[in-house]
Amino acid sequence: MSAPTAQRPAPSGTVPLRGLKQRERISTKEKLIRWALMLVAVMIVLGPLLWQLSNALKGAGETTVGFPSTLIPRNPTLDNFVTAFTAIPLPTYLLNSALIAVMGVTANVVLATLTGYALARIRFRGRGIYIAVLLATAVLPFEVILVSTLLVTRGIGLQNTLVGVVLPQAVSIVSIFVMRQAFRNVPHELEEAATVDGAGPFRLFSSIMLPSVRGSLAVIAVLGFLDSWDHFIWPLVILSDPDKYPVNVGVQFLSGTFSADQRVISAAALVVMVPPLLVYFFMQKQIFKGLAEGALKG
């Protein structure tokens, strides 16, 4: 009778077949849970958008609210979009919003970049106090200083102007700290090497620092655009000429003209959403690069 052969131990670093199958089962279960959670998140985000699109494409006689109401229009039509463009000067409002957004993005990028660079790389007396003051003002809503801002803007003659819409919110505190963190992540060796090569402060800033934080510049540019495009309360207060209204304010006229027709209001709301979606679509690579650089860390 032959002696039983001893079972060889599994080589180190290998996983038994039973454990591997169990790990695969766990991994598959985790994937299903992740897909389910992502599907729920997508439905939460896209659900209202799809419902609004459905309302904008519905024709006369189809219900938009209440019961019964269908998601897929029975007779899709673009008449609601045509009505939105003809009932109010929607192209003029879109142009005003575009001008405000361009001025707002330019001011936000320039001021946030210079301020963030100074707070990150330049040592000066009172820097800690300045940072503390910025953090304190960041928690104050704009409505708290609305009256004082209106008095100052009116005093310098900028009431009822697009510059008066942009100037009080020309730079975001969030953008300043995004750029400060981005400049802090730039290695000091680059700065020292450029200084040894004879680079002055302007060349150091333009040739070394700015190319190193391009992703973060894209982040604050998108943040500045979204903030400028979403202006509502301040333009409504500072502007008295309806021809200068941005699109968010101008669209409100539809609520009075077509208060019972949610189709036209939904169509106009979808038109307002198109520019931010396009900006994000074309800038998403730069945004992810900025996040990878650590622009929003700390």
Side-chain angles (χ1 to χ4, degrees):
M1 184 174 181
S2 58
T5 58
Q7 184 176 4
R8 294 183 180 180
S12 59
T14 61
V15 181
L17 184 59
R18 181 179 302 176
L20 181 60
K21 291 183 178 179
Q22 185 178 4
R23 181 173 298 182
E24 288 179 354
R25 287 197 299 268
I26 295 175
S27 178
T28 303
K29 191 180 298 183
E30 289 178 354
K31 289 180 180 179
L32 291 176
I33 294 175
R34 291 175 182 176
W35 276 104
L37 293 176
M38 286 191 293
L39 181 61
V40 171
V42 169
M43 292 305 299
I44 291 175
V45 174
L46 295 183
L49 180 61
L50 293 176
W51 189 262
Q52 203 165 36
L53 179 61
S54 173
N55 289 339
L57 295 177
K58 288 180 178 179
E62 294 189 65
T63 58
T64 58
V65 294
F67 182 84
S69 180
T70 57
L71 181 63
I72 301 177
R74 293 193 297 269
N75 299 308
T77 178
L78 297 178
D79 292 343
N80 298 318
F81 292 92
V82 176
T83 304
F85 273 92
T86 56
I88 59 174
L90 194 56
T92 301
Y93 296 150
L94 289 171
L95 179 60
N96 293 337
S97 290
L99 293 175
I100 292 173
V102 169
M103 291 188 291
V105 169
T106 303
N108 186 58
V109 170
V110 172
L111 297 177
T113 301
L114 295 176
T115 307
Y117 177 74
L119 294 178
R121 312 297 288 204
I122 301 177
R123 296 186 177 274
F124 56 90
R125 183 177 299 178
R127 184 174 66 171
I129 298 176
Y130 187 78
I131 294 175
V133 171
L134 285 179
L135 288 174
T137 57
V139 301
L140 292 176
F142 183 74
E143 289 75 14
V144 174
I145 58 174
L146 180 63
V147 176
S148 58
T149 305
L150 176 61
L151 295 177
V152 172
T153 307
R154 181 184 299 173
I156 61 179
L158 293 179
Q159 186 178 11
N160 198 31
T161 62
L162 296 184
V163 176
V165 175
V166 175
L167 189 60
Q169 304 179 58
V171 62
S172 168
I173 305 299
V174 175
S175 298
I176 291 176
F177 280 93
V178 166
M179 295 309 301
R180 176 177 177 265
Q181 186 64 28
F183 282 121
R184 288 183 62 183
N185 290 338
V186 177
H188 287 275
E189 289 77 8
L190 293 176
E191 187 176 3
E192 295 172 357
T195 304
V196 171
D197 291 339
F202 180 78
R203 183 182 175 187
L204 175 65
F205 177 75
S206 60
S207 301
I208 303 298
M209 292 297 177
L210 285 183
S212 301
V213 295
R214 284 179 296 182
S216 301
L217 290 173
V219 171
I220 66 170
V222 173
L223 292 177
F225 178 84
L226 296 178
D227 185 53
S228 300
W229 192 265
D230 289 339
H231 281 338
F232 177 75
I233 299 242
W234 177 243
L236 188 62
V237 171
I238 197 65
L239 296 175
S240 57
D241 186 1
D243 291 335
K244 296 181 180 179
Y245 281 165
V247 68
N248 285 332
V249 179
V251 165
Q252 300 306 309
F253 287 115
L254 288 175
S255 299
T257 307
F258 298 93
S259 56
D261 195 344
Q262 296 296 325
R263 303 171 186 84
V264 178
I265 298 175
S266 297
L270 287 174
V271 173
V272 175
M273 294 173 57
V274 169
L277 291 177
L278 291 177
V279 169
Y280 177 78
F281 178 78
F282 288 107
M283 297 289 291
Q284 57 181 330
K285 291 184 179 180
Q286 288 77 10
I287 294 174
F288 291 139
K289 181 180 178 182
L291 296 175
E293 288 177 356
L296 299 180
K297 293 180 180 178

